[in-house]
Amino acid sequence: MRKMILLLVLPLALVFGGEAAGAAVQPYFYPFVSPYEATVMDLPAVYLAELPAEVPTKVFKLKVFPKRRTPDVFWYEDGLYCSLAPQPQRAPLIFVIAGTGSRFNSPIMLKLQRAYYQAGFHVVSITSPTHMNFVVNASESFMPGDLREDARDLYRVMQQAWKKVRSEVEVSSFALAGYSLGGTQAAFVSMLDEEKKLFDFRKVLLLNPPVSLFNSVSALDRLLVENIPGGEENFNRWFQSVLLNVAAVSREMGYVELTGEFLYQAYKRQPPIEENLKALIGLSFRMDSANMIFTADVMNGGGYILPTQVQLNNSTSLTPYAMVAFRTSFVDYFHEYLFPYLQRREPDLTEPALIERLSLRSIEPYLRSAEKIGLVGNEDDVTLMPGEIEYLQEVFGDRAKIFPTGGHLGNVNHPDVVRFMTDFLTGKEQ
């Protein structure tokens, strides 16, 4: 109810308040009080930044490992897809890294592409290392989640993408940005570039990054497990009902990829029910991580989700394996698959040491000293643990812009957020 009152009253307040204040800058205002609602629901149009409806975009494909044989079950994964939004004149080029489970053209990526294009950048959009398309085509180990390995994979992709587009654009300098997990990965890519010096990024922006990968995925898993209607034992029945609703929406919208972001889109077409939002956010993440875990297991020959003796082809029913994957949390993947894999290569590695390694804290000295790296965050980000937003503020200092509300990425299209992002990347915000 409070949200409805705000939505009705605030546009009037903005109109009449604007007349009274003339050109005075309006304080930041975000209409959703609940961080869970902010994370899922679209901003009303009156609060959106003015961005181009479309920008010129060319989709291109990279064969990162040309000799790699793709399993039959992934017959459609014939290369890593990226996009370029080119400026007609000499301009800086920005690489943008998608968040967990998202493609180069996900809804948030398109918003960022238009904002950065409007600010004067050539924009190259890159799919997340946790998405099936990336794992199959561009991951060297097929084991996403190790931030340093993910950074090396991303850096290889950026080099090949640059080689692919360099004849089509005139570039003055390079920048880098990423949101959510893509933001944390951008920090590791930036540090790698300090050593390689291939791009010498002029500016790097982290948008709503997790401080600790393990902490954030644990928080998201709890949102699901603790809020399943009827309890965790009711997961299969509840999940089947969600899929039926999603299928109905997808029939209306035509073919869509079943991802966490699509789940949000489907939910918005139904009457919002506050108590379901936590489970929905948790389920959205679970769907993305399930796709990643299944893909990693298939590419590594099975043994986790898929029995090693099973051969999948393009007509095999994947439903039994999907249900196992959907019941497998990212934390399970960490304990049972990722950590044992890395420990085989590094016998002295411990779980606490790996958890520390998969966090911004492990590169804190670099983050404190790298003046070119900025950060956008929200105090009520549902993926952060208590104390982590204060940690980010303390490490980044004046280079951090922390908004009081917005949930996790809910305000990415808010005028104040877009203004800070583009001002920082163009050097107007120092």
Side-chain angles (χ1 to χ4, degrees), residues 161-282:
W162 169 229
K163 184 177 179 181
K164 188 89 171 181
V165 306
R166 64 186 309 166
S167 64
E168 303 177 41
V169 291
E170 189 177 358
V171 172
S172 57
S173 63
F174 292 96
L176 175 64
Y179 72 85
S180 192
L181 179 57
T184 302
Q185 289 163 335
F188 282 80
V189 170
S190 178
M191 193 170 72
L192 179 61
D193 186 60
E194 301 286 359
E195 172 191 342
K196 303 292 185 183
K197 294 292 185 185
L198 294 178
F199 297 110
D200 194 16
F201 297 116
R202 184 170 174 272
K203 291 285 184 178
V204 179
L205 184 65
L206 321 182
L207 180 60
N208 285 199
V211 172
S212 162
L213 176 58
F214 187 84
N215 284 353
S216 288
V217 299
S218 299
L220 289 164
D221 276 335
R222 282 196 297 273
L223 283 179
L224 174 62
V225 172
E226 296 175 0
N227 294 285
I228 297 171
E232 191 172 1
E233 296 305 313
N234 193 43
F235 176 84
N236 283 351
R237 183 179 302 174
W238 173 70
F239 184 60
Q240 292 286 359
S241 70
V242 171
L243 289 183
L244 287 175
N245 288 330
V246 167
V249 173
S250 84
R251 281 194 295 274
E252 293 178 28
M253 299 172 65
Y255 171 78
V256 292
E257 188 178 14
L258 189 57
T259 65
E261 283 199 56
F262 169 68
L263 189 62
Y264 286 175
Q265 297 299 320
Y267 178 83
K268 291 167 190 169
R269 298 167 71 93
Q270 306 293 326
I273 302 174
E274 180 80 17
E275 54 265 32
N276 288 345
L277 286 171
K278 294 180 181 178
L280 180 72
I281 294 169

Side-chain angles (χ1 to χ4, degrees), residues 333-349:
Y333 168 79
F334 173 87
H335 289 303
E336 300 168 357
Y337 204 55
L338 181 62
F339 172 69
Y341 164 79
L342 293 173
Q343 195 182 42
R344 285 194 291 275
R345 300 194 321 188
E346 306 171 55
D348 294 334
L349 183 66

